Amino acid sequence: MADYKFLNYDTFDDNQVVRITLNRPGSRNAQNRGLLVELNEAFLAAEADDRVRVIILAGAGPIFSSGHDLGSAEMRAELTPGPEQHVTARTNGGTRNGTEKRMLQEWHYFFQNTLRWRNLRKITIAQVHGSVYSAGLMLMWSCDLIVAAEETVFADVVGARLGMCGMEYFAHPWEFGPRKTKELMLTGDSIDVEEAYRLGMVSKVYKIDRLAEDTLALARRIARLPTMAALMIKESVNQTVDNMGFHNSLQACFSLHQLNHSHWAEVHKGGAPAGLPEDGVPDWRTAAPVVPAQRDR
């Protein structure tokens, strides 16, 4: 098995179950380019292994994932010409300019990656905890099942803090529901795990000290199902929602996401592709804490 810098790859029961763990706890598992490339490699390795029946996606440290990496030194080095530049910054549109560059890079590393993981030929379970924000939602929504620790909260703050219409893989209306999506995107508020469970977004809620153990038990139970049956169940559901418009909706919303970026890049002298404080959104680095969406206020 390959050595990963940003992930842990663990196997159980003669490789019937694989657990892939995001391992950038110091950055709250923010998704830099290296992590995303390794995650795709790990998913594809598990998919290619005929012994594997179920894949668990987890996160090390205090939270599952804080979303896109927007400014760590590691991320800046990956995208800056020099010895530490990641190869993906020079390929798949990385050497192009303007909207074309951003669109191609985000199409490959955010949109298509996530869609590929959603359609993986294995059953996948997201094991989440802590705060799951913005692009962290994309990772867990690519999985077939989501299980969460009791204190987990979910939010997308890019509307309220960056002036953006959501993420590159915009499954929000399908997961939160249309009106809840509008509320959460317009306010930046969060929902707790109990509401996520009521919405059907989360399948199981476990105590934090039993999260890994209970998720593994669920994966082992699913792994007992014949692989053909498991795949056909997954495909039946995925094709149903695709026929309801899921895939076309993702494509359309990705285009709207790029239009949103292009608007900000055009109105800002420096070309910043998201809203700034002078546009009426707070600086995401110093913004007030996310608060729960309340029924009466």
Side-chain angles (χ1 to χ4, degrees), residues 48-241:
D49 188 339
D50 284 347
R51 297 170 296 177
V52 176
R53 293 170 175 241
V54 180
I55 304 166
I56 299 169
L57 176 62
I63 70 174
F64 171 69
S65 175
S66 59
H68 291 324
D69 188 333
L70 297 180
S72 74
E74 203 162 34
M75 183 278 291
R76 292 195 301 272
E78 287 180 330
L79 302 181
T80 303
E84 296 181 53
Q85 186 182 46
H86 199 279
V87 63
T88 61
R90 304 186 298 274
T91 55
N92 288 322
T95 63
R96 305 283 173 82
N97 296 309
T99 296
E100 182 184 16
K101 174 179 179 177
R102 186 179 307 108
M103 178 185 66
L104 287 171
Q105 289 272 290
E106 293 195 354
W107 190 88
H108 281 283
Y109 299 109
F110 300 148
F111 178 43
Q112 284 297 308
N113 256 3
T114 311
L115 188 60
R116 184 181 308 112
W117 305 333
R118 180 255 188 181
N119 292 320
L120 216 65
R121 303 291 83 184
K122 301 290 169 72
I123 302 302
T124 55
I125 304 174
Q127 174 192 303
V128 305
H129 67 289
S131 302
V132 185
Y133 289 166
S134 302
L137 300 174
M138 288 170 43
L139 289 188
M140 72 173 194
W141 283 342
S142 71
C143 294
D144 298 308
L145 300 177
I146 301 169
V147 301
E150 287 179 331
E151 303 303 318
T152 310
V153 296
F154 307 91
D156 191 344
V157 298
V158 299
R161 297 187 180 184
L162 292 173
M164 291 297 297
C165 59
M167 306 311 302
E168 296 81 2
Y169 179 94
F170 192 69
H172 300 46
W174 301 82
E175 299 285 353
F176 289 136
R179 285 191 174 83
K180 198 65 177 179
T181 294
K182 291 177 184 177
E183 176 195 346
L184 298 180
M185 290 299 303
L186 291 168
T187 63
D189 292 347
S190 65
I191 62 171
D192 63 18
V193 73
E194 293 302 330
E195 184 164 5
Y197 179 77
R198 289 193 297 270
L199 289 172
M201 190 180 86
V202 166
S203 298
K204 303 290 182 184
V205 181
Y206 298 136
K207 293 185 180 300
I208 185 63
D209 60 352
R210 290 190 55 86
L211 179 62
E213 181 180 352
D214 287 348
T215 305
L216 182 58
L218 176 63
R220 284 170 165 156
R221 180 180 177 191
I222 293 170
R224 293 198 295 267
L225 195 68
T227 53
M228 185 62 173
L231 179 58
M232 290 300 97
I233 290 168
K234 171 173 180 163
E235 192 64 8
S236 295
V237 176
N238 283 7
Q239 287 198 24
T240 296
V241 293

